[in-house]
């Protein structure tokens, strides 16, 4: 069977001009290697041409401008807001409802949460984005799509590089990479990186991360491989909170920012939030051929230790994640059969504490401000165990002009949550209260267990109209379990299910290429975030949601080395049946639009690469208006022509590049929300920033 290759994959959702002959390849959409134009689904591949001219402080730098993907940086650190076709909207932190892979290894927890703390962006070679549900191959929680982050391979070449990056606000991004054969068949890759920024354009906004990665691997004489990945990460991230607009208190921090250009400290009480983590990750994957069979067994281990000051409380976590995946591919006269099973288990021990240092006001006293991120008295101990098991099968029938993919999967997910609560933060009291207290739920010992079983079928068909144009269609399904934290707040949450109907047209030509997609998604029991007073979140099921959309992404080669491109997404997402709990009363929101997702989103770029080694790229993005809340009471106007520019020059072993984001220094918000009491919260976007990077290859 054909082995995994590491093709040069170029910028954007589609490949460029003269390089079309390289045939852009994806391994995420079907779990086997296939040209993107032959996949009956919407797939985008972001390659090294774009990545090399981005600061790569976070995944936002790679995915910005991909149609159908809403991604924003929360503070220029590794924490990002990621949504694909509306999935992930409910996440107050981290990433939800999207399966994230690292070199094909799931790093999404069995309960659907993903944190990107340990993904070393300096190692990223390319990113594959599969839009729309694909629980058939990747299991429950691939509800909105799949993102596969693929790193540099030690098999590629002997040698390495040193990168030194310096920017304003004491931003630094450095890394050392080296790979070499160390004996017959053995290869070793090594990477060390440091990313940091004071981000002093707003208070309490620093981050830094140190990462070390080893890739000891082996290539057999017939091309089979044994790939290992070991990484250690230590990361500190301050979370500055939002700018508050609260007419009842006479507070309007957003207008003050627009007027003065200075970002004030959040007016919410929780002024010292953050995420401080230490992460160990290991994976081992064998790819072995036996005649027409190819077996890919995979095991992985992930250990987290977190210290997280969040609204109301501080919690510490000790998390162990274990996983195994066996995939078998059989090549026969009709096509390829792919089958296998997955087992994942995570255990988390979590302790909740008071904020030790607070400022109080009033009688009885309410917390006005936190004074530090130090933990105080213990409020609660909690143990969480989640186990996922699934089996999958897909048959791909391939003929000269037709491709038909038919598959199904069964997953079973079990949640076991138990703990003991001595006290909690009371919204009504505005302070901590100890048990027994009628204002505190689940006082003393508690235990709950839920099990979800999911069946996820899929069918996709593609027809080659001409050597240039392919047309496709698919009916795909997905499911998403509530997370542990969501079940803790609402143990009655149901499993969310989606059916996606999609058709599209793809074109590949030496001068141009494009992808289009029309889709309709019917979602049952979608878990919806309800923003309560104080900005905290509760969760409930919406009876039915419908999402309709259109996506386009394309490029055109104007002359040798000069490319232009554009992408567009139309998103019409509405609640068809939804009652939102507000102050103890259910309020009908049926017919309302989902918040935050703009109906229109545009991106355009121009890039040039000269044979002398000079290159440049300009990209501009527009994010249309959207509603701030489920009630659709008010819109945020969005932003227009948020522009980034990069220029570089390479000669011999040296490469220098300058990258500028938000070129025109626009004042805008990356997210605006409105709680059920009418208080608005704005998260301001970064001002104009730059990074100068020098690379020496050896």
């Amino acid at each position: 069977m054909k082995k995994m290759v590491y093709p040069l994959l170029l910028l954007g959702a589609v490949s460029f001009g003269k390089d079309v002959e390289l045939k852009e390849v994806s391994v995420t959409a079907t779990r086997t290697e296939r040209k993107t134009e032959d996949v009956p689904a919407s797939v985008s591949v972001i390659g090294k041409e774009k990545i090399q001219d981005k600061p790569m402080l976070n995944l936002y730098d790679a995915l910005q401008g991909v149609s159908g993907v809403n991604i924003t940086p929360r503070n220029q650190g590794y924490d990002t807001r990621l949504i694909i076709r509306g999935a992930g909207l409910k996440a107050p932190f981290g990433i939800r409802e999207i399966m994230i892979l690292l070199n094909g290894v799931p790093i999404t927890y069995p309960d659907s949460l993903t944190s990107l703390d340990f993904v070393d962006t300096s190692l990223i070679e390319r990113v594959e984005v599969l839009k729309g549900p694909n629980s058939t191959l990747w299991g429950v929680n691939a509800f909105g799509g799949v993102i596969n982050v693929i790193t540099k391979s030690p098999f590629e070449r002997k040698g390495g590089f040193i990168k030194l990056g310096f920017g304003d606000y004491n931003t630094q991004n450095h890394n050392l990479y080296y790979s070499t054969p160390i004996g017959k068949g053995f290869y070793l890759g090594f990477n060390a990186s440091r990313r940091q920024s004071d981000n002093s354009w707003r208070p309490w906004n620093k981050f830094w991360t140190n990462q070390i990665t080893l890739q000891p691997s082996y290539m057999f004489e017939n091309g089979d491989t044994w790939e290992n990945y070991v990484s250690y990460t230590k990361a500190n991230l301050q979370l500055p909170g939002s700018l508050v607009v609260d007419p009842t208190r006479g507070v309007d921090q957003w207008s003050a920012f627009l007027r003065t250009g200075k970002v004030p400290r959040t007016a919410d009480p929780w002024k010292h939030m953050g995420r401080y983590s230490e992460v160990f990750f290991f994976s081992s994957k064998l790819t072995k051929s036996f005649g027409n069979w190819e077996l890919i067994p995979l095991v992985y281990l992930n250990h987290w230790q977190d210290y997280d000051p969040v609204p109301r409380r501080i919690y510490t976590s000790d998390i162990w994640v274990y996983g195994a995946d066996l995939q078998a591919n059989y090549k026969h006269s009709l096509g390829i059969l792919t089958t296998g099973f997955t087992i994942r288990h995570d255990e988390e021990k979590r302790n909740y504490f008071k904020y030790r240092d607070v400022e109080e006001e009033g009688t009885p006293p309410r917390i006005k401000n936190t004074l530090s991120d130090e933990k105080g008295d213990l409020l609660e101990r909690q143990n969480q165990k989640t186990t996922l098991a699934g089996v999958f099968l897909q048959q791909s029938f391939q003929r000269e002009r037709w491709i038909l993919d038919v598959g199904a999967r069964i997953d079973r997910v079990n949640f076991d949550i138990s703990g003991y609560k001595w006290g909690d933060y009371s919204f009504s009291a505005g302070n901590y209260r100890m048990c027994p207290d009628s204002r505190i739920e689940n006082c003393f010992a508690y235990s709950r267990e839920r099990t979800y079983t999911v069946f996820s079928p899929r069918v996709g068909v593609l027809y080659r109209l001409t050597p240039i144009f392919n047309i496709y269609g698919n009916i795909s399904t997905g499911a998403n379990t509530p997370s542990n934290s969501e079940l803790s707040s609402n143990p009655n949450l149901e499993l969310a299910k989606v059916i996606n109907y999609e058709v599209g047209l793809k074109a590949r030509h030496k001068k141009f290429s494009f992808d289009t997609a029309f889709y309709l998604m019917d979602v049952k029991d979608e878990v919806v975030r309800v923003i309560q007073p104080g900005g905290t979140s509760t969760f409930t099921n919406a009876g039915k949601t419908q999402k309709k959309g259109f996506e386009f992404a394309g490029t055109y080669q104007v002359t040798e080395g000069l490319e232009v491109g554009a992408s567009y997404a139309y998103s019409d997402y509405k609640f068809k049946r939804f009652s939102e709990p507000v102050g103890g009363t259910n309020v009908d929101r049926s017919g309302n639009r989902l918040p935050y997702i703009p109906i229109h989103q545009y991106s355009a770029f121009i890039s040039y690469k000269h044979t002398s080694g000079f290159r440049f790229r300009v990209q501009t993005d527009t994010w249309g208006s959207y509603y701030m809340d489920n009630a659709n009471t008010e819109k945020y106007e969005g932003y227009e022509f948020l522009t980034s520019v990069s220029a570089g020059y390479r000669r011999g072993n040296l490469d220098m590049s300058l990258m500028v984001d938000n070129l025109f220094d626009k004042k805008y918000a990356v997210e605006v929300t409105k709680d059920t009491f009418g208080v608005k919260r704005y998260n301001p976007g970064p001002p104009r920033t730059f990074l100068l990077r020098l690379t020496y290859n050896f």
Side-chain angles (χ1 to χ4, degrees):
M1 179 163 287
K2 186 178 179 182
K3 294 288 173 258
M4 175 89 161
V5 296
Y6 297 89
L8 179 64
L9 296 174
L10 301 177
L11 172 67
V14 291
S15 48
F16 281 128
K18 65 176 183 178
D19 294 298
V20 168
E21 299 303 320
L22 293 174
K23 298 298 183 184
E24 183 181 79
V25 172
S26 169
V27 295
T28 307
T30 61
R31 277 186 174 248
T32 58
E33 198 175 89
R34 190 183 295 186
K35 294 177 291 184
T36 55
E37 63 263 37
D38 289 340
V39 175
S42 183
V43 182
S44 297
V45 178
I46 300 90
K48 63 173 66 175
E49 289 289 315
K50 178 179 179 180
I51 289 172
Q52 74 173 357
D53 286 328
K54 285 290 188 177
M56 292 309 295
L57 294 171
N58 49 45
L59 203 56
Y60 164 80
D61 289 328
L63 297 181
Q64 181 187 17
V66 176
S67 63
V69 176
N70 304 92
I71 184 167
T72 55
R74 284 192 166 109
N75 74 333
Q76 291 182 282
Y78 48 81
D79 189 38
T80 57
R81 182 90 152 103
L82 177 60
I83 297 170
I84 300 179
R85 293 185 177 177
L89 178 62
K90 67 175 181 175
F93 61 90
I95 297 169
R96 307 287 176 97
E97 301 180 319
I98 300 166
M99 178 65 69
I100 309 293
L101 312 173
L102 181 61
N103 297 316
V105 179
I107 60 174
T108 295
Y109 292 170
D111 77 339
S112 86
L113 173 66
T114 308
S115 296
L116 299 175
D117 309 41
F118 69 95
V119 176
D120 192 341
T121 53
S122 68
L123 258 179
I124 295 177
E125 182 83 358
R126 72 182 192 270
V127 182
E128 298 181 5
V129 182
L130 174 62
K131 291 171 279 187
N134 198 323
S135 290
T136 304
L137 288 178
W138 294 107
V140 65
N141 300 327
F143 186 75
V146 182
I147 292 180
N148 192 5
V149 177
I150 299 172
T151 63
K152 293 175 175 61
S153 167
F155 299 133
E156 288 186 359
R157 69 178 184 91
K158 179 180 179 179
F161 54 79
I162 298 174
K163 289 185 179 181
L164 300 175
F166 297 92
D168 48 358
Y169 304 108
N170 195 27
T171 300
Q172 299 181 39
N173 191 358
H174 315 306
N175 82 289
L176 167 66
Y177 177 78
Y178 183 69
S179 64
T180 182
I182 53 175
K184 186 177 180 181
F186 286 96
Y187 295 79
L188 178 65
F190 169 81
N191 191 73
S193 69
R194 164 79 176 186
R195 287 176 285 155
Q196 71 171 56
S197 182
D198 288 349
N199 283 330
S200 54
W201 54 273
R202 67 174 308 187
W204 195 259
N205 201 32
K206 295 181 181 180
F207 90 92
W208 62 261
T209 175
N210 295 327
Q211 296 177 282
I212 296 177
T213 303
L214 290 174
Q215 297 170 287
S217 301
Y218 183 81
M219 181 175 287
F220 298 89
E221 291 183 357
N222 67 346
D224 292 338
T225 58
W226 179 31
E227 301 170 86
N228 298 284
Y229 188 99
V230 184
S231 71
Y232 170 79
T233 301
K234 190 165 186 179
N236 280 25
L237 177 72
Q238 294 178 341
L239 299 174
S242 305
L243 302 187
V244 178
V245 177
D246 185 356
T248 62
R249 291 191 288 159
V251 175
D252 190 346
Q253 293 188 300
W254 181 248
S255 295
F257 162 62
L258 295 178
R259 185 175 61 255
T260 65
K262 296 181 179 180
V263 184
R265 194 76 177 259
T266 178
D268 280 328
W270 321 109
K271 292 178 168 55
H272 297 85
M273 297 185 294
R275 181 175 176 84
Y276 312 109
S277 56
E278 196 168 2
V279 189
F280 172 79
F281 178 77
F282 166 76
S283 68
S284 182
K285 179 170 67 175
L286 177 67
T287 303
K288 188 69 176 173
S289 296
F290 303 91
N292 289 336
W293 284 94
E294 181 183 57
L295 295 181
I296 309 176
L298 162 69
V299 295
Y300 52 94
L301 170 70
N302 200 187
H303 181 222
W304 294 71
Q305 290 180 303
D306 282 350
Y307 183 88
D308 296 292
V310 296
R312 302 182 296 145
R313 303 182 292 182
I314 294 173
Y315 71 84
T316 61
S317 293
D318 189 275
I319 307 169
W320 288 91
V321 181
Y322 315 87
D325 187 285
L326 176 61
Q327 177 180 335
N329 303 317
Y330 176 63
K331 190 174 182 180
H332 54 88
S333 59
L334 297 178
I336 298 177
L337 175 69
T338 299
T339 187
F341 67 84
T342 301
I343 297 175
R344 297 206 302 272
H345 177 76
D346 81 62
E347 296 187 16
E348 177 178 1
K349 294 181 179 179
R350 180 176 289 195
N351 294 323
Y352 292 93
F353 301 87
K354 296 179 180 179
Y355 276 88
R356 188 188 69 185
D357 305 314
V358 298
E359 176 187 0
E360 298 178 330
E361 65 178 357
T363 304
R366 302 176 67 91
I367 294 177
K368 180 181 179 182
N369 295 307
T370 57
L371 301 177
S372 78
D373 58 1
E374 294 296 325
K375 67 180 187 290
D377 295 337
L378 180 66
L379 293 170
E380 181 181 359
R381 292 189 187 276
Q382 188 177 87
N383 295 317
Q384 304 174 359
K385 296 180 181 180
T386 311
T387 304
L388 179 149
V391 294
F392 61 90
L393 182 146
Q394 176 169 286
Q395 172 61 52
S396 176
F397 300 96
Q398 302 180 11
R399 285 294 178 260
E400 183 177 350
R401 302 185 71 173
W402 288 93
I403 295 177
L404 175 64
D405 295 335
V406 181
R409 178 175 178 131
I410 298 177
D411 285 296
R412 187 176 177 87
V413 186
N414 176 260
F415 293 85
D416 185 355
I417 303 171
S418 61
Y420 194 95
K421 182 182 287 188
W422 291 272
D424 202 348
Y425 179 84
S426 168
F427 289 105
S428 59
N431 213 323
Y432 299 106
R433 289 291 180 264
M434 306 306 291
C435 293
D437 191 308
S438 60
R439 292 167 289 191
I440 299 177
E441 295 182 357
N442 300 319
C443 262
F444 305 121
Y446 62 88
S447 177
R448 63 182 69 96
E449 187 172 357
R450 289 292 300 268
T451 299
Y452 302 95
T453 302
V454 185
F455 176 66
S456 305
R458 180 182 184 276
V459 59
V461 62
L462 181 139
Y463 180 70
R464 300 184 180 100
L465 291 170
T466 72
I468 297 174
F469 297 102
N470 292 351
I471 190 170
Y472 76 89
N474 74 66
I475 302 175
S476 54
T477 60
N480 194 80
T481 65
S483 68
N484 280 312
S485 60
E486 292 162 4
L487 282 173
S488 295
S489 68
N490 183 358
N492 298 315
L493 287 173
E494 298 295 332
L495 184 81
K497 296 182 179 181
V498 59
I499 301 178
N500 178 66
Y501 308 91
E502 182 174 336
V503 295
L505 178 68
K506 305 185 181 191
R508 301 292 186 270
H509 185 269
K510 290 186 177 181
K511 294 288 290 183
F512 67 88
S513 59
F514 66 78
D515 288 50
T516 65
F518 296 86
Y519 63 88
L520 169 66
M521 290 192 288
D522 287 324
V523 186
K524 181 182 178 182
D525 292 326
E526 182 163 14
V527 177
V528 178
R529 178 188 179 196
V530 179
I531 302 175
Q532 301 289 354
T536 57
S537 301
T538 58
F539 300 91
T540 187
N541 289 111
K544 186 177 181 182
T545 306
Q546 188 174 80
K547 303 175 183 179
K548 297 182 288 186
F550 167 74
E551 297 162 358
F552 168 85
T555 63
Y556 178 73
Q557 182 182 16
V558 181
T559 62
E560 183 73 19
L562 180 63
E563 302 279 352
V564 295
S567 66
Y568 169 71
Y570 170 79
S571 307
D572 181 11
Y573 302 165
K574 291 183 179 180
F575 296 115
K576 290 298 182 181
R577 189 171 66 251
F578 174 41
S579 293
E580 182 178 30
V582 179
T585 303
N586 287 333
V587 181
D588 187 19
R589 306 297 192 202
S590 302
N592 287 5
R593 293 191 180 277
L594 273 65
Y596 185 64
I597 306 297
I599 297 178
H600 304 286
Q601 189 177 0
Y602 311 85
S603 182
F605 73 87
I606 179 171
S607 67
Y608 179 70
K609 189 173 184 179
H610 193 266
T611 54
S612 65
F614 172 75
R615 65 186 184 274
F616 77 84
R617 174 186 169 88
V618 180
Q619 178 172 323
T620 186
D621 299 284
T622 295
W623 191 303
S625 63
Y626 59 83
Y627 284 107
M628 301 179 184
D629 57 359
N630 297 326
N632 289 186
T633 58
E634 190 174 353
K635 280 187 174 182
Y636 174 61
E637 66 272 16
Y639 53 81
E640 295 180 341
F641 305 116
L642 188 67
T643 303
S644 60
V645 178
S646 65
Y649 179 73
R650 178 165 184 168
R651 184 166 185 176
N653 292 337
L654 286 174
D655 186 286
M656 179 178 288
S657 56
L658 174 66
M659 294 148 283
V660 181
D661 286 329
N662 193 2
L663 178 66
F664 302 113
D665 201 21
K666 288 181 175 290
K667 297 179 179 65
Y668 69 102
V670 296
E671 182 180 11
V672 184
T673 62
K674 190 175 184 180
D675 68 26
T676 54
F677 275 28
V679 178
K680 293 178 286 188
R681 288 175 173 82
Y682 293 76
N683 290 314
R688 179 171 52 235
T689 58
F690 75 87
L691 185 77
L692 179 66
R693 184 167 62 207
L694 179 67
T695 304
Y696 176 71
N697 297 280
F698 56 88

